[in-house]
């Protein structure tokens, strides 16, 4: 493969100014991350430690193999919601390596409202199980939770993907031969009791872990029986009398050691065959991304400049370079793994869509994972393009993406607007993982376009009634809509609601994608079957 030639002047003022601005955005992101990683309020953290318990992140550190990476997902879930009383939505999820096996880890943070579940906590837990299913990853549940956050019950209990989905997923995962291991390190009350009860193997910590369908207050109210939590469902009870748990641990560290020992008897999956080559660092420094990435989304960025700072040796075998240039397509390697890349370089036209569908077919026929680098305003609009059938050609692109059965990964490095989001493997198109950069934006269209549409609709309505929109009313409407789109379009707003799997530092993209592809090999890629392409 040939090496990409960068045209960026890394000493030029434009680059340096962009870099300075980007570093400011990044510093704000990192500060937010570090605040969230502290967990619940200091007094809750102190109380947790006084009880001799490890914090959720400390438990994960002990569980995974030394010097192996942990891909944490959706760290900023619930950010800006519930008056920020649910940092990380009270649950830590991510992929780590235990005895050489890539594993999904789901750990309650009991310092956050007793580890209880609000809507975003549930979304995060269910999403982690979905990733485990797609990639055939064993699951470890580090349980320390008061169950449903009761004031929010209507948002967490009854619907299809609510609290009950955890146990449904555990049953389905187990039936696919995907190991389910629970470590009970605190409370498992009511529905929460099913997490350990539905696991293949369960460990419980003495004088600390409890499992019961109804806690002591409920038992007293229901039957008048007075019983302590320990007598009702403590570690002694469950490892000697009920058999709900299989292993007794003396403390958190011991429990984690037992969990690691369980992994010694878990078989490693056969990997999807793939031509993996020795990894090579990009020729161009990834840190240069800070000077290149768009801050003002109106600024065009040649996506080859991004690719050059992510892929091995900055080498890229471009496909149809001269045709439909607003979408860059081509083959590369990331950490030695082959990948087919689609990267936006402008608006999507009919011919762009045809090129994309063709390229996706190439990748699926060669079992090569797909990487979508999104910076997209959408499909072209206008009479000329509608007449030429932009909807029909766009549909081919969307159809190819929807049916491509190789793993898809999506990184939003700029804007993600309109149907462009769909075609470029937005959330609805089931990329295995989807990440955003801190400055990226996502919404149905840009704020200005949305404001113009809504103002035009309003003006038409008023005109039909013989009235007109006053200039000050127009201005007020414009500003309100712009503000709303600004807030709701931000990566923070998206990640708080689990529309993505997390915001990442651009410099980490290569490492995260390499690991993501490595993980995807745990399940063999299914054959792709396309339906009817409208010609
Ligand atoms: N719903 C809403 N809030 C809850 C809660 C629940 N199920 N369980 C705990 N909380 C809140 C507490 O009100 C407290 O909030 P605050 O910090 O704003 O005062 C915080 O979580 C910590 O609870 P606390 O009891 O002080 O902590 P703890 O570590 O001593 O005990 C539990 C944690 C989870 C063991 C205990 O709170 C408990 O038993 N909760 C009830 C569990 C239950 O019955 N759940 C059924 C729902 S399915």
């Amino acid at each position: 493969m040939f090496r990409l030639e960068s045209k960026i002047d890394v000493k030029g003022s434009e680059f340096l100014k962009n870099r300075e601005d980007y570093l400011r955005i990044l510093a704000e992101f990192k500060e937010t991350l570090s605040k969230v990683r502290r967990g619940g309020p200091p007094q809750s953290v102190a109380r947790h430690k006084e009880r001799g318990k490890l914090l959720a992140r400390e438990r994960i550190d002990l569980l995974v193999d030394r010097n192996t990476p942990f891909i944490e997902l959706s760290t900023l879930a619930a950010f800006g919601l519930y008056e920020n009383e649910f940092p990380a939505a009270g649950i830590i999820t991510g992929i780590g390596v235990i005895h050489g096996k890539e594993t999904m880890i789901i750990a309650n943070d009991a310092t956050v409202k007793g580890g209880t579940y609000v809507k975003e906590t549930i979304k995060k837990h269910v999403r982690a199980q979905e990733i485990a299913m797609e990639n055939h990853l064993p699951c470890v549940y580090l349980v320390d939770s008061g169950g449903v956050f009761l004031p929010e019950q209507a948002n967490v209990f009854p619907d299809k993907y609510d609290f009950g989905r955890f146990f449904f997923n555990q049953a389905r995962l187990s039936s696919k031969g995907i190991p389910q291991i629970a470590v009970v390190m605190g409370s498992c009350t009511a529905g929460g009791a099913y997490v350990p009860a539905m696991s293949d193997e369960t460990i419980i910590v003495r004088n600390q872990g409890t499992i019961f369908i109804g806690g002591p207050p409920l038992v007293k109210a229901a039957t008048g029986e007075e019983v302590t939590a320990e007598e009702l469902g403590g570690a002694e009870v469950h490892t000697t009398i009920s058999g709900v748990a299989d292993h007794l641990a003396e403390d958190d560290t011991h429990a984690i050691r037992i969990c690691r020992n369980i992994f010694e008897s878990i078989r490693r999956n056969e990997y999807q065959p793939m031509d993996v080559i020795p990894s090579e660092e990009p020729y161009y420094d990834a840190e240069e991304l800070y000077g290149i990435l768009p801050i003002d989304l109106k600024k065009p960025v040649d996506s080859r400049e991004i690719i050059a700072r992510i892929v091995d040796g900055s080498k890229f075998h471009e496909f149809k370079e001269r045709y439909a240039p607003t979408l860059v397509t081509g083959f590369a390697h990331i950490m030695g793994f082959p990948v087919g890349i689609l990267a936006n370089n402008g608006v999507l036209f009919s011919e762009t869509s045809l090129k994309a569908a063709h390229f996706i077919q190439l990748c699926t026929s060669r079992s090569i994972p797909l990487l979508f680098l999104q910076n997209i305003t959408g499909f072209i609009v206008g009479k000329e393009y509608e007449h030429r059938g932009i909807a029909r050609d766009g549909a081919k692109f969307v159809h190819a993406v929807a049916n491509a059965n190789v793993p898809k990964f999506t990184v939003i490095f700029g804007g993600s607007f309109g149907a462009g989001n769909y075609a470029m493997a937005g959330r609805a198109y089931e990329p295995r993982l989807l990440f955003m950069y801190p400055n990226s934006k996502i919404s149905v269209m840009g704020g200005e376009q949305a404001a113009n549409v809504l103002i035009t609709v309003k003006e038409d309505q008023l005109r039909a009634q013989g009235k007109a929109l006053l200039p000050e009313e127009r201005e007020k409407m414009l500003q309100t809509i712009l503000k709303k789109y600004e807030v709701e379009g931000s990566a923070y707003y998206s990640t708080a609601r689990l529309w993505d799997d997390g915001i990442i530092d651009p410099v980490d993209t290569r490492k995260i994608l390499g690991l993501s592809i490595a993980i995807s090999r745990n399940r063999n890629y299914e054959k792709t079957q396309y339906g009817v392409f409208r010609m």
Side-chain angles (χ1 to χ4, degrees), residues 3 16 81 94 170 193 195 209 227 295 346 385 400 404 448 481 501 524-525:
R3 195 169 72 209
L16 294 173
L81 299 168
Q170 278 185 253
V195 175
V227 60
I295 292 174
Y385 302 104
E448 277 172 41
I481 299 164
D501 294 307
N524 274 8
Y525 302 171

Side-chain angles (χ1 to χ4, degrees), residues 44 47 51 110 113-114 116 145-151 163 187 189-192:
S44 300
R47 200 156 51 120
R51 290 172 173 167
K113 296 282 177 196
T116 51
S145 162
V148 160
F149 183 73
L150 291 169
F163 202 78
S187 178
T189 309

Side-chain angles (χ1 to χ4, degrees), residues 76 80 139 181 184 190 256 308 328 341 390 399 406 438 473 509 531:
L76 299 185
C139 298
I181 313 295
V184 181
I256 286 165
V328 174
I341 300 177
I390 179 70
H399 188 110
V406 291
E473 287 170 343
T509 311

